[in-house]
Amino acid sequence: MANQTRSVSSTSPTRRTRSEARGNRNRADRLTSRHADRNPRGGGPRRGRPHKSHRVLKWILALLGLVLVAGAATFAYLYLTTEIIPPEKQALAQKTTVYYADGTTPIGTYANQNREIIDCAVLPKYVGNAVVASENRTFYKDNGIDLKGISRALFNNVTKGTRQGGSTITQQYAERYYLGETTSYKGKLREAILSLKISRTEDKDTVLCNYLNTIYFGRGAYGIQAAAQNYFGKDAKDLTMPESAMLAGIIPAPASWDPAVNPKQAESRFRRVLAIMEEDHYISHQDRASAQMPQTIKYMPQNVYQGPNGYLLRMVRNELSSGKKAPFTADDLDTGGYRIITTIQKDKQDLMFQVASPSTGNKHLPPTLQIGGLSVDPKTGAIISLYAGDDYLTHQLNNVDQATFQVGSTMKAYTLLGAIQDGVSLNTVFNGNSPRTFSSVGKSVANAGNVSYGYINLYSAFANSVNTVFMDLGEHVTSHKIAQVAHTAGITGKIDDTTTFDTLGVDALSVYDVTQGYATLANGGQRPKLHLVAQVKDTKDQELYTAAIQSDQVFNADQVALLQKAMTTTVQRGTASYARSLGRPIAGKTGTANDQTAISFIGFTPSLLTTFAVWNQGQDGGALKVPDRYHDDFYAVQLFTQYMKSALGNSPVERFPDAEDHGKIGGPEGNWGTGSRQRSPSTRNREYSYAPQQRSQRQNSEQGQSGSGSGSGSGEGAGGGSENDSGSDTGEGGNEGSTQGNSGAESSQQ
């Protein structure tokens, strides 16, 4: 038994060991399987994932299928509903109209539809070949669209705000109908679909003919027939090969590449077209070698620019299409069918013309006398009205933004502001006697009529435009700072900053330029941007452009308020006292050119600023003296008063802000002027009472008069004086900078 027991005992561990080994192996297999499920690098596929992946893939494929079906359905719908517009109908939808500020009263239009649809069968073959060579060399082979070109144009249009169209002739034809929409994805899709439909339903010759009949060639010419007449004075059927090549070359930018505007670029494009025509076997090498750049005829603007509105149309065009950052091109304006709404108020514009034009009323002005007028809202920079001339077609030199005149003492405002910035009290007294010699110029300078004002403060010196005081003040402020202040205010024209005479305004500027500068002074030191266009809308009344109303604070508001306080004295008892009849606070400054070749006045309330300038221009473009009756009665102030009386009407009286003078008598170092020393009581004074057609000289009776509006500080009492900026015994200035409506300037304008 014992042996038997041992025998059983000896075999039992072996069986257990084998059983345990099998169990261990099973457990190891299970562990390995679980680890493989958790670890992608394990030894087997994940359990359950293949079924889930298949479900996701099915959803993705189903979604893609739906997108494709929806896309195909959309494409089919758009293809079926897209109408192919005949050239006659397309041509009528592209007229741009410019409106007054009310948005309903038209000022005029751009590019009247100078167009005649012709049968292209009468055209020489090289007319179409030249266009194909220039615009779309693969025209006869492609299917009407360039997918790469569409993608590139759409990307640039959406991201950069540009207006790029298609690259094929078919696309260009389609794009012109949808102009204004092709910056959107929908517009580009429509353009592509229309191009495809055209290419599949019309033969190439028909497409090319329609393109030739609708494309804009510049000079107001739509279509090849009008272009042939406007550039060469002939019918399109009579065009020569070189003439056809020149017209084809300027198609991308006809307004800018017109041979009369940019002959170098026009010829470069002409040579390019000839080279391609030879390469594509449209002409022979001999044809190319013998071709000469054709001569175009002189282009006369259409009568759309006739009369005073022609100046407005030209200024609107320049504002929207000039410069690298211009929102539109000239060709956009000619072909876009836009609605351009200006800031011009029709009632004020009619008033401005009635006041300024020599042709209205019984004025009998000398034919050589020129007038420029501009009225703006200084808070927004909006131009309300302007007078640039009577008829653009007969006098294309714009009297507002092109012709220049010597601005005279209007520059004294910037000198005075510079002094305020330097910490000078306006109660500081200066020697106002005449003449005086100044070391900065080494010459003697006199006041108007050589009148001596004795010792007067800066209020009185500004009111009476005392040259000797401002030459003295200018030496302290420095000519460089005077020019710097003027440029900071917004003046862009050249100012000579090397001579103290810049305080007397010896430089020539335009009415637009001086108004821009004074708008900053009227707006509390905030510089607005003068503008003529409020907004531009497309044919569906969607806004394409809105003027940015912004103003930068370039001067300290308190310092400008003090300047405005001084500027009111010009009207209260100074050289513009005729404007006192308006019965409300007016700030401003008169200006007279050296040798009396121009007179001007810039005046303002807080909400309305108006400039009038009068100059005398000889037949040869040279500057002449303004006749005495207009100079002595200061005709510019009369024009200002007449305009502002009606323009302001019964509007609420506005007052300028209160101003405190924190400056120091005698300036920061006490050596400006004569400190607080007062004017000699024995000094003679003179003031003109500016009544129309009448000049009177009398002793000052308004000494110590308090001013309207912001009021005057102590010690301001001083006589009025005849405003004149010329120096005596100096010979300074001569005709330098005087009226620049010269033949050279005029000939450069179109």
Side-chain angles (χ1 to χ4, degrees), residues 361-369 578 596 599 614 616 625-639 688-696 722:
N362 191 25
K363 296 179 180 178
H364 304 297
L365 297 178
T368 56
L369 212 61
Y578 183 81
Q596 302 177 3
I599 53 176
V614 180
N616 205 14
K625 179 181 176 182
V626 173
D628 288 343
R629 64 179 291 192
Y630 302 104
H631 173 268
D632 294 344
D633 293 336
F634 228 96
Y635 190 53
V637 179
Q638 293 181 34
L639 295 174
Y688 292 158
S689 60
Y690 298 104
Q693 312 300 327
Q694 176 184 2
R695 169 185 171 185
S696 64
S722 171

Side-chain angles (χ1 to χ4, degrees), residues 42-105:
R46 298 177 182 175
R47 294 182 179 179
R49 296 300 295 271
H51 299 290
K52 187 180 294 184
S53 299
H54 290 159
R55 286 197 299 271
V56 172
L57 182 59
K58 288 178 180 178
W59 277 109
I60 292 174
L61 292 175
L63 183 60
L64 289 175
L66 287 174
V67 171
L68 290 174
V69 171
T74 301
F75 181 86
Y77 171 78
L78 292 175
Y79 187 87
L80 292 173
T81 58
T82 297
E83 179 186 5
I84 297 179
I85 307 299
E88 297 85 352
K89 184 176 179 180
Q90 182 186 132
L92 299 177
Q94 299 171 353
K95 192 176 184 178
T96 292
T97 303
V98 181
Y99 295 90
Y100 287 101
D102 60 13
T104 58
T105 307

Side-chain angles (χ1 to χ4, degrees), residues 233-248:
K234 61 173 66 172
D235 290 334
K237 65 182 178 62
D238 299 321
L239 286 170
T240 66
M241 187 275 291
E243 289 169 346
S244 302
M246 191 226 80
L247 289 175

Side-chain angles (χ1 to χ4, degrees), residues 705-718:
Q705 175 183 351
S706 62
S708 61
S710 60
S712 303
S714 61
E716 295 176 38

